[in-house]
Amino acid sequence: MRLLKERIIKDGIVKDGDVLKVDSFLNHQIDVNLYREIGKEFYRIYAGCGVNKIVTIEASGIGIAVAAAMYFDVPVVFAKKSKTRNIAGDVYKSVVHSFTHGKDFDVVISKDFLNSEDKILIIDDFLANGSALEGLCDILKQSGAEVIGAGIVIEKGYQAGGKMLREQGMRVESLAIIDKMGPDVGIIFRE
Ligand code: 5GP
């Protein structure tokens, strides 16, 4: 997605530890016009696939998922990062390793909001090592819902997640794939 790539080049900041900061337009301050275009693009890619619900993970995924859901005209369900280990039996639960915080946390979705009839599009801001997506897939498997595919805004293609998930047979569509980034090379996108 050209608009997105241009914005990443203009305003993205490469930090130590392989982290791309996009706080000024994607996940702290939000450029709503860009979000609208991102939502439209996910709809263009997955329209006609029978998606009836979008699933994401708090917090950065929520706004993007909502932007897409407006086009699909479907609800968004987001996985909550659970602060308590004492979880009641009315949730599906998995564990996610946070790339940016370097620790594990539980994620939960209420059983009220997922069922075996659901056809799910997963949306997230970044794909790095794939732990967030794996956790969501685990939860969706517990619910019996079908995963139609994933829509990712920025995939760091040199990290393992995208390859691993595609090899498992999952459809993963990323609007910008970064092949390389660093202080010396800048940001290099896959064609
Ligand atoms: P994964 O679980 O695929 O390793 O990492 C995905 C999650 O980590 C995303 O939900 C995102 O919040 C965060 N993340 C991974 N890499 C980056 C990055 O380079 N920049 C930012 N801002 N977040 C990232």
Side-chain angles (χ1 to χ4, degrees), residues 18-20 27 97 99-100 124-132 156:
D18 255 336
V19 172
L20 176 66
N27 54 18
H97 180 80
F99 177 79
T100 40
D124 205 2
D125 58 344
F126 274 89
L127 173 58
N129 290 319
S131 182
K156 291 185 288 179

mmCIF file of all heavy atoms in Angstrom, residues 18-20 27 97 99-100 124-132 156, ligand 1:
data_model
loop_
_atom_site.group_PDB
_atom_site.id
_atom_site.type_symbol
_atom_site.label_atom_id
_atom_site.label_comp_id
_atom_site.label_asym_id
_atom_site.label_seq_id
_atom_site.Cartn_x
_atom_site.Cartn_y
_atom_site.Cartn_z
ATOM 1 N N ASP A 18 15.207 -3.491 17.114
ATOM 2 C CA ASP A 18 14.327 -3.880 16.016
ATOM 3 C C ASP A 18 12.902 -3.371 16.144
ATOM 4 O O ASP A 18 11.964 -4.025 15.679
ATOM 5 C CB ASP A 18 14.278 -5.407 15.904
ATOM 6 C CG ASP A 18 15.098 -5.875 14.722
ATOM 7 O OD1 ASP A 18 15.297 -5.069 13.792
ATOM 8 O OD2 ASP A 18 15.522 -7.046 14.725
ATOM 9 N N VAL A 19 12.727 -2.253 16.795
ATOM 10 C CA VAL A 19 11.379 -1.697 16.948
ATOM 11 C C VAL A 19 11.220 -0.481 16.043
ATOM 12 O O VAL A 19 12.062 0.419 16.029
ATOM 13 C CB VAL A 19 11.105 -1.311 18.419
ATOM 14 C CG1 VAL A 19 9.785 -0.560 18.544
ATOM 15 C CG2 VAL A 19 11.074 -2.558 19.296
ATOM 16 N N LEU A 20 10.147 -0.499 15.262
ATOM 17 C CA LEU A 20 9.796 0.656 14.436
ATOM 18 C C LEU A 20 8.735 1.459 15.170
ATOM 19 O O LEU A 20 7.663 0.939 15.491
ATOM 20 C CB LEU A 20 9.264 0.178 13.081
ATOM 21 C CG LEU A 20 8.774 1.274 12.137
ATOM 22 C CD1 LEU A 20 9.922 2.176 11.687
ATOM 23 C CD2 LEU A 20 8.079 0.661 10.927
ATOM 24 N N ASN A 27 -0.086 4.258 16.102
ATOM 25 C CA ASN A 27 -0.521 3.657 17.369
ATOM 26 C C ASN A 27 -0.287 4.478 18.644
ATOM 27 O O ASN A 27 -0.184 3.916 19.719
ATOM 28 C CB ASN A 27 -0.019 2.223 17.519
ATOM 29 C CG ASN A 27 1.474 2.097 17.362
ATOM 30 O OD1 ASN A 27 2.175 3.078 17.475
ATOM 31 N ND2 ASN A 27 1.947 0.899 17.094
ATOM 32 N N HIS A 97 3.646 -13.792 23.970
ATOM 33 C CA HIS A 97 4.909 -13.159 24.372
ATOM 34 C C HIS A 97 4.985 -11.798 23.693
ATOM 35 O O HIS A 97 4.949 -11.712 22.464
ATOM 36 C CB HIS A 97 6.099 -14.037 23.976
ATOM 37 C CG HIS A 97 7.406 -13.415 24.370
ATOM 38 N ND1 HIS A 97 7.889 -13.486 25.661
ATOM 39 C CD2 HIS A 97 8.292 -12.673 23.665
ATOM 40 C CE1 HIS A 97 9.037 -12.821 25.726
ATOM 41 N NE2 HIS A 97 9.308 -12.316 24.536
ATOM 42 N N PHE A 99 6.563 -8.787 22.063
ATOM 43 C CA PHE A 99 7.835 -8.447 21.424
ATOM 44 C C PHE A 99 8.376 -7.143 21.990
ATOM 45 O O PHE A 99 9.569 -7.014 22.265
ATOM 46 C CB PHE A 99 7.631 -8.320 19.906
ATOM 47 C CG PHE A 99 8.878 -7.911 19.195
ATOM 48 C CD1 PHE A 99 9.871 -8.839 18.928
ATOM 49 C CD2 PHE A 99 9.093 -6.596 18.820
ATOM 50 C CE1 PHE A 99 11.034 -8.460 18.295
ATOM 51 C CE2 PHE A 99 10.247 -6.210 18.188
ATOM 52 C CZ PHE A 99 11.230 -7.145 17.917
ATOM 53 N N THR A 100 7.485 -6.183 22.183
ATOM 54 C CA THR A 100 7.954 -4.858 22.610
ATOM 55 C C THR A 100 8.249 -4.790 24.113
ATOM 56 O O THR A 100 9.097 -4.019 24.533
ATOM 57 C CB THR A 100 6.949 -3.753 22.207
ATOM 58 O OG1 THR A 100 5.625 -4.245 22.414
ATOM 59 C CG2 THR A 100 7.098 -3.378 20.762
ATOM 60 N N ASP A 124 -4.079 -6.889 13.001
ATOM 61 C CA ASP A 124 -3.151 -6.328 13.995
ATOM 62 C C ASP A 124 -2.263 -5.281 13.334
ATOM 63 O O ASP A 124 -2.185 -5.217 12.103
ATOM 64 C CB ASP A 124 -2.311 -7.423 14.654
ATOM 65 C CG ASP A 124 -1.827 -7.011 16.054
ATOM 66 O OD1 ASP A 124 -2.174 -5.908 16.526
ATOM 67 O OD2 ASP A 124 -1.097 -7.793 16.688
ATOM 68 N N ASP A 125 -1.616 -4.479 14.180
ATOM 69 C CA ASP A 125 -0.772 -3.404 13.637
ATOM 70 C C ASP A 125 0.543 -3.950 13.093
ATOM 71 O O ASP A 125 0.956 -3.612 11.990
ATOM 72 C CB ASP A 125 -0.531 -2.302 14.689
ATOM 73 C CG ASP A 125 0.131 -2.789 15.973
ATOM 74 O OD1 ASP A 125 0.145 -4.010 16.227
ATOM 75 O OD2 ASP A 125 0.629 -1.943 16.744
ATOM 76 N N PHE A 126 1.213 -4.834 13.863
ATOM 77 C CA PHE A 126 2.521 -5.355 13.470
ATOM 78 C C PHE A 126 2.518 -6.879 13.474
ATOM 79 O O PHE A 126 1.819 -7.511 14.263
ATOM 80 C CB PHE A 126 3.600 -4.908 14.468
ATOM 81 C CG PHE A 126 4.186 -3.555 14.167
ATOM 82 C CD1 PHE A 126 3.613 -2.404 14.688
ATOM 83 C CD2 PHE A 126 5.312 -3.432 13.375
ATOM 84 C CE1 PHE A 126 4.149 -1.160 14.419
ATOM 85 C CE2 PHE A 126 5.863 -2.188 13.090
ATOM 86 C CZ PHE A 126 5.278 -1.047 13.619
ATOM 87 N N LEU A 127 3.345 -7.450 12.608
ATOM 88 C CA LEU A 127 3.669 -8.882 12.712
ATOM 89 C C LEU A 127 5.186 -8.971 12.801
ATOM 90 O O LEU A 127 5.901 -8.508 11.906
ATOM 91 C CB LEU A 127 3.145 -9.639 11.487
ATOM 92 C CG LEU A 127 3.534 -11.110 11.352
ATOM 93 C CD1 LEU A 127 3.091 -11.923 12.569
ATOM 94 C CD2 LEU A 127 2.913 -11.715 10.082
ATOM 95 N N ALA A 128 5.665 -9.558 13.908
ATOM 96 C CA ALA A 128 7.112 -9.710 14.106
ATOM 97 C C ALA A 128 7.424 -11.202 14.205
ATOM 98 O O ALA A 128 7.597 -11.879 13.184
ATOM 99 C CB ALA A 128 7.552 -8.931 15.340
ATOM 100 N N ASN A 129 7.420 -11.742 15.419
ATOM 101 C CA ASN A 129 7.683 -13.180 15.556
ATOM 102 C C ASN A 129 6.412 -14.026 15.544
ATOM 103 O O ASN A 129 6.473 -15.258 15.593
ATOM 104 C CB ASN A 129 8.485 -13.438 16.835
ATOM 105 C CG ASN A 129 9.894 -12.917 16.698
ATOM 106 O OD1 ASN A 129 10.526 -13.058 15.651
ATOM 107 N ND2 ASN A 129 10.401 -12.276 17.747
ATOM 108 N N GLY A 130 5.278 -13.392 15.527
ATOM 109 C CA GLY A 130 4.019 -14.117 15.332
ATOM 110 C C GLY A 130 3.331 -14.571 16.610
ATOM 111 O O GLY A 130 2.305 -15.245 16.543
ATOM 112 N N SER A 131 3.853 -14.179 17.767
ATOM 113 C CA SER A 131 3.256 -14.663 19.012
ATOM 114 C C SER A 131 1.826 -14.141 19.213
ATOM 115 O O SER A 131 0.937 -14.886 19.638
ATOM 116 C CB SER A 131 4.138 -14.276 20.196
ATOM 117 O OG SER A 131 3.591 -14.775 21.378
ATOM 118 N N ALA A 132 1.604 -12.873 18.892
ATOM 119 C CA ALA A 132 0.256 -12.306 19.064
ATOM 120 C C ALA A 132 -0.753 -13.050 18.186
ATOM 121 O O ALA A 132 -1.825 -13.460 18.650
ATOM 122 C CB ALA A 132 0.268 -10.818 18.722
ATOM 123 N N LYS A 156 7.291 -7.161 9.688
ATOM 124 C CA LYS A 156 8.742 -7.144 9.598
ATOM 125 C C LYS A 156 9.149 -8.494 9.027
ATOM 126 O O LYS A 156 9.212 -9.505 9.734
ATOM 127 C CB LYS A 156 9.340 -6.850 10.969
ATOM 128 C CG LYS A 156 9.053 -5.395 11.398
ATOM 129 C CD LYS A 156 9.724 -4.999 12.682
ATOM 130 C CE LYS A 156 9.052 -5.668 13.847
ATOM 131 N NZ LYS A 156 9.661 -5.340 15.142
HETATM 132 P P1 5GP B 1 4.745 -10.592 17.445
HETATM 133 O O1 5GP B 1 3.772 -11.171 18.424
HETATM 134 O O2 5GP B 1 4.394 -10.904 16.007
HETATM 135 O O3 5GP B 1 6.179 -10.921 17.768
HETATM 136 O O4 5GP B 1 4.648 -9.015 17.613
HETATM 137 C C1 5GP B 1 3.472 -8.354 17.271
HETATM 138 C C2 5GP B 1 3.080 -7.375 18.329
HETATM 139 O O5 5GP B 1 4.208 -6.706 18.892
HETATM 140 C C3 5GP B 1 2.198 -6.315 17.731
HETATM 141 O O6 5GP B 1 0.899 -6.450 18.270
HETATM 142 C C4 5GP B 1 2.825 -4.991 18.121
HETATM 143 O O7 5GP B 1 2.052 -4.379 19.111
HETATM 144 C C5 5GP B 1 4.180 -5.329 18.691
HETATM 145 N N1 5GP B 1 5.296 -5.007 17.791
HETATM 146 C C6 5GP B 1 6.152 -5.891 17.201
HETATM 147 N N2 5GP B 1 7.110 -5.275 16.524
HETATM 148 C C7 5GP B 1 6.875 -3.950 16.655
HETATM 149 C C8 5GP B 1 7.544 -2.770 16.150
HETATM 150 O O8 5GP B 1 8.571 -2.808 15.470
HETATM 151 N N3 5GP B 1 6.978 -1.578 16.492
HETATM 152 C C9 5GP B 1 5.862 -1.473 17.252
HETATM 153 N N4 5GP B 1 5.392 -0.246 17.502
HETATM 154 N N5 5GP B 1 5.215 -2.561 17.753
HETATM 155 C C10 5GP B 1 5.712 -3.786 17.458
#
